[in-house]
Amino acid sequence: MVEKKEVFVQGNIACAEGALYAGCSFFAGYPITPSTEVAEHMSEELPKRGGAFIQMEDEIASSIAIQGAAWAGKKVMTVTSGPGLSLMMEHVGLAAFTETPCVFVDVQRGGPSTGLPTLPGQADMMQVKWGSHGDYEPIALAPNSPQECFDLMIKAFNLAEIYRVPVFFMMDEVVGHMTERVQIPPAEEIQVVERRWSSKPPGQYRPYEVGEDLVPDMVKAGDGYRIHITGLTHDERGYPAMNPTAHDRLVRRIHEKIRRHADALVDIREDGIEGAEVAVVSFGITSRVAAAAVELARQRGLKVGHLRLIITWPFPGRRIAEVARHVKGIVVPELNMGQVVLEVERAVAGRVPVHSVPHAGGTVHEPEVILEKILEAAR
Amino acid sequence: MSTDLYRWADQLQLGTDIDNPVMPFLRQDRIPHIWCPGCGIGTTVNCFARALTESGLDLDKVAIVSGIGCTGRVAGYMNLDSFHTTHGRAIPFATGLKLANPDLKVVVYSGDGDLFAIGGNHFIHAARRNMDIMVVCVNNFTYGMTGGQVAPTTPLGPSQTTMPYGNFEPSFNLPFLADACGAVYVARWTVYHVKQLAKAMQEGLKKKGFVFIEALSPCPTLYSRRNRLGDGVDQLKYYKEKSVQKNGVDTKELALGFQEEIIVGKFVDRERPTWLESMNEHFSRVLGTRYQPWGVTHAED
Ligand SMILES: Cc1ncc(C[n+]2csc(CCOP(=O)(O)OP(=O)(O)O)c2C)c(N)n1
Ligand code: SF4
Ligand SMILES: [Mg+2]
């Protein structure tokens, strides 16, 4: 058996390595703290590992250059932080509507505006869910350690290929810059999903024809298919179709292709939910602080469960609703003024109180602050 | 207006006639097109189709990318791998497409507003990098798609819907801009000069590096009507009478005034390593065998 490779690296480097192991061979980006190390690592490694790197003139360009490369057949990504993410939004919609597989890494910092460039935040969660105009269903994952930056980045690429959607990788400054041990399995043990290439010949292939799973198969430019891809509402041929019927069909499908697979897209790390009086729901860096708070509460004899969301979008509402049936209250700490908690409230639908633990960012919570809410929820 | 010019202008229009030699280059299931009668965009497409024929390129390896606008619709009518992207961003999309598959000949086809207002930053950087793409700008001095607003190419004087008292903003001299940023091939023609425009496109398709072709084109529905310039044929007449060919002239001389002289011709034709060539050369030298050359076998031919 081939040994696992062990390295000590920061989350940003682990994220870049995860992308490389996932098969990313095209990177376009624009430097921004606290994400820059991802781009730097890609610029160093891609030339030696059969890929291409380009630093574009801005994030608008980066977020569409990767889509050009995706249509030439590559697995692609870009990386940014708040201000850059805002600039990328129009192209998130383009990727969603043209069903272009791509990964957007957001190493979150304190916002709004220039905010706190070197300090953490988790306040872009709703932006990635809703930020581009129009309706679409993105996927988002939230790692809480360098190891997860590696492992989940592979998952992020796989999901982008399986569902042909923009996938957001929601890191934050702390996860990005913390150095920890990362185990890298031998390449052959890493499960990598390849593109859903169409087996149809030119002439028979229609770019947006779908089967059971509602996700169309793909081809690439240069192979004789003479595809037309547009951000306008389009029909199965990919041709503009300027009417409400075509629009309804397409917009519904790009939602349905995610919603129909909602169960497969649940990824929650659960701890002690069985018999818990209180549940804590957290994600990303905050989940580490929340785990400490849960431990403190348990030391005081409380039965507290912890649900750590790995995939935040689509939101695992069904599971949260189930949990709500058995607990007295749910506590949701996050480094924002209360974003993911809105989805928790929606799922819980008033069955039990939901306690938000907001934090404007710049640092993580004090575990005691979360503990206090847990105690309140248990009363 | 001579009837000759009318008949001739008619022939230039992108027709729906099945015998038209341009038809094989079009997605016939998408015809009729959306362009107004007398619009010059179809004429440029006609020239482009001719250039494609003459170029002898394998059309499966030619991709066209457009932004948003009346001109932005060109990609959708060409029977090529074609991408209708977002407003102003055709060039960075094309950059990704080209870099990811250097085998492709990538053409960006878009309007003046798209390429030089919202997309101006991408243009200058792609030219600076000498990205191996051909950019065709249909310059109608206005934002056609949105109803005739002022553009960065609108000459001083004419009225636009958002310059109702006449334009007072200086405009870009596009060939000068392209030249200054490092384009290796720069030409300007009008839709009156169909042969020359087609030839320039043909040369552009053969050229390695950042190619810029400006095609002056009438927008009779908005720009001409608003400024009482007559119909499409009247604009052709203006192009015919006021154009002066000056190949190789200093691009500084190429500013355009309202209904004034138009200098046309090929102004720049030079060699410079493309971004991909530079990258491959540089990494091979610096990294030696550690470098895994990217698209190098194809980039050479
Ligand atoms: C981000 C964004 N802003 C504005 C628009 C609206 N819009 C569509 S086309 C266009 C201008 C097109 O002008 P030009 O590029 O000159 O093309 P033409 O229609 O003249 O061929 C504008 C402003 C848009 N589609 N997207
Ligand atoms: S509005 Fe002007 S540019 Fe647009 S199709 Fe009509 S004539 Fe052409
Ligand atoms: Mg225009």
Side-chain angles (χ1 to χ4, degrees), chain B residues 70-71 110-114 138-145 151 153 219:
Chain B
C70 294
T71 313
S110 223
D112 48 310
D114 183 270
V138 175
N139 182 1
N140 51 17
F141 306 123
T142 193
Y143 285 14
M145 182 61 94
T153 46
C219 170

Side-chain angles (χ1 to χ4, degrees), chain B residues 193-266:
Chain B
H193 303 91
V194 279
K195 285 213 177 72
Q196 297 91 326
L197 181 57
K199 170 110 184 304
M201 288 172 165
Q202 189 193 329
E203 285 180 7
L205 286 167
K206 284 280 172 198
K207 185 94 188 167
K208 221 192 283 180
F210 191 86
V211 169
F212 176 61
I213 296 169
E214 177 182 22
L216 301 188
S217 167
C219 170
T221 306
L222 302 164
Y223 185 81
S224 299
R225 181 178 299 166
R226 193 173 179 92
N227 292 290
R228 299 193 178 80
L229 301 175
D231 59 15
V233 175
D234 291 311
Q235 280 298 288
L236 281 178
K237 198 172 166 213
Y238 155 57
Y239 297 152
K240 179 177 183 235
E241 285 166 3
K242 292 285 184 80
S243 294
V244 186
Q245 184 171 344
K246 292 186 187 172
N247 292 337
V249 75
D250 186 338
T251 53
K252 278 199 193 87
E253 311 291 314
L254 298 172
L256 293 167
F258 183 46
Q259 297 296 100
E260 285 171 13
E261 182 186 82
I262 302 166
I263 300 176
V264 294
K266 176 165 83 176

Side-chain angles (χ1 to χ4, degrees), chain B residues 9-280:
Chain B
D10 241 21
Q11 284 168 13
L12 294 183
Q13 289 293 311
L14 189 61
T16 52
D17 173 7
I18 270 319
D19 295 331
N20 186 330
V22 172
M23 285 312 272
F25 295 92
L26 303 179
R27 295 182 188 274
Q28 298 181 26
D29 47 357
R30 289 219 54 216
I31 303 296
H33 55 72
I34 63 155
W35 297 308
C36 309
C39 176
I41 297 171
T43 309
T44 71
V45 171
N46 222 316
C47 296
F48 182 53
R50 267 161 222 210
L52 283 171
T53 325
E54 301 292 318
S55 74
L57 288 170
D58 174 359
L59 297 187
D60 284 345
K61 300 288 178 201
V62 182
I64 180 166
V65 185
S66 287
I68 304 294
C70 294
T71 313
R73 293 302 188 96
V74 169
Y77 296 121
M78 298 307 297
N79 188 15
L80 300 168
D81 283 322
S82 53
F83 300 91
H84 181 225
T85 61
T86 54
H87 190 31
R89 321 301 175 190
I91 288 176
F93 184 99
T95 296
L97 190 65
K98 174 69 190 179
L99 293 185
N101 182 357
D103 261 356
L104 298 173
K105 183 81 222 174
V106 179
V107 179
V108 167
Y109 213 110
S110 223
D112 48 310
D114 183 270
L115 288 165
F116 293 100
I118 190 165
N121 195 34
H122 310 307
F123 181 90
I124 66 180
H125 287 282
R128 167 181 68 82
R129 295 182 178 115
N130 200 21
M131 213 31 91
D132 186 10
I133 57 180
M134 170 166 120
V135 177
V136 177
C137 173
V138 175
N139 182 1
N140 51 17
F141 306 123
T142 193
Y143 285 14
M145 182 61 94
T146 43
Q149 294 77 29
V150 69
T153 46
T154 307
L156 288 175
S159 160
Q160 302 274 42
T161 62
T162 48
M163 275 289 183
Y165 309 110
N167 179 36
F168 59 84
E169 271 192 13
S171 63
F172 270 136
N173 166 348
L174 298 180
F176 180 41
L177 179 69
D179 181 10
C181 295
V184 293
Y185 183 101
V186 180
R188 172 197 281 159
W189 297 100
T190 77
V191 294
Y192 171 76
H193 303 91
V194 279
K195 285 213 177 72
Q196 297 91 326
L197 181 57
K199 170 110 184 304
M201 288 172 165
Q202 189 193 329
E203 285 180 7
L205 286 167
K206 284 280 172 198
K207 185 94 188 167
K208 221 192 283 180
F210 191 86
V211 169
F212 176 61
I213 296 169
E214 177 182 22
L216 301 188
S217 167
C219 170
T221 306
L222 302 164
Y223 185 81
S224 299
R225 181 178 299 166
R226 193 173 179 92
N227 292 290
R228 299 193 178 80
L229 301 175
D231 59 15
V233 175
D234 291 311
Q235 280 298 288
L236 281 178
K237 198 172 166 213
Y238 155 57
Y239 297 152
K240 179 177 183 235
E241 285 166 3
K242 292 285 184 80
S243 294
V244 186
Q245 184 171 344
K246 292 186 187 172
N247 292 337
V249 75
D250 186 338
T251 53
K252 278 199 193 87
E253 311 291 314
L254 298 172
L256 293 167
F258 183 46
Q259 297 296 100
E260 285 171 13
E261 182 186 82
I262 302 166
I263 300 176
V264 294
K266 176 165 83 176
F267 314 115
V268 175
D269 193 350
R270 62 189 164 204
E271 303 299 323
R272 210 154 71 80
T274 67
W275 191 91
L276 262 171
E277 287 168 340
S278 301
M279 179 181 83
N280 279 322

Side-chain angles (χ1 to χ4, degrees), chain A residues 8-186:
Chain A
F8 278 88
V9 290
Q10 56 162 277
N12 280 344
I13 304 299
C15 161
E17 279 297 322
L20 290 163
Y21 274 83
C24 176
S25 62
F26 185 87
F27 179 103
Y30 190 81
I32 186 167
T33 306
S35 76
T36 306
E37 294 85 358
V38 181
E40 288 171 344
H41 192 70
M42 293 305 262
S43 72
E44 203 173 319
E45 291 303 310
L46 276 170
K48 298 184 288 186
R49 289 156 85 162
F53 170 97
I54 185 166
Q55 179 174 315
M56 296 297 289
E57 52 275 18
D58 58 30
E59 289 86 350
I60 300 174
S62 305
S63 58
I64 196 164
I66 59 171
Q67 298 189 43
W71 281 102
K74 303 300 177 194
K75 287 190 179 183
V76 302
M77 73 175 283
T78 186
V79 63
T80 190
S81 188
L85 186 72
S86 294
L87 290 182
M88 290 180 177
M89 280 299 143
E90 187 180 7
H91 293 147
V92 170
L94 179 71
F97 216 27
T98 56
E99 302 180 69
T100 303
C102 47
V103 176
F104 291 79
V105 176
D106 178 19
V107 187
Q108 296 171 91
R109 62 193 225 181
S113 191
T114 310
L116 296 171
T118 61
L119 297 170
Q122 292 182 311
D124 304 346
M125 298 307 295
M126 282 300 181
Q127 185 180 18
V128 302
K129 178 79 177 77
W130 302 110
S132 196
H133 56 282
D135 288 320
Y136 58 97
E137 282 274 7
I139 292 176
L141 298 89
N144 81 353
S145 66
Q147 181 69 57
E148 281 194 353
C149 286
F150 180 84
D151 296 339
L152 295 179
M153 197 56 182
I154 293 164
K155 180 162 184 160
F157 269 90
N158 289 348
L159 292 174
E161 296 298 336
I162 294 169
Y163 296 105
R164 287 186 57 182
V165 287
V167 173
F168 292 96
F169 201 61
M170 304 305 287
M171 296 168 58
D172 63 78
E173 188 277 330
V174 175
V175 167
H177 285 154
M178 68 164 56
T179 294
E180 284 183 348
R181 183 204 321 265
V182 175
Q183 294 196 328
I184 298 181

Side-chain angles (χ1 to χ4, degrees), chain A residues 271-273 293-306:
Chain A
D271 167 36
I273 291 298
V294 165
E295 212 34 60
L296 290 174
R298 284 174 183 165
Q299 282 164 16
R300 296 184 178 210
L302 278 182
K303 287 195 163 153
V304 185
H306 189 188

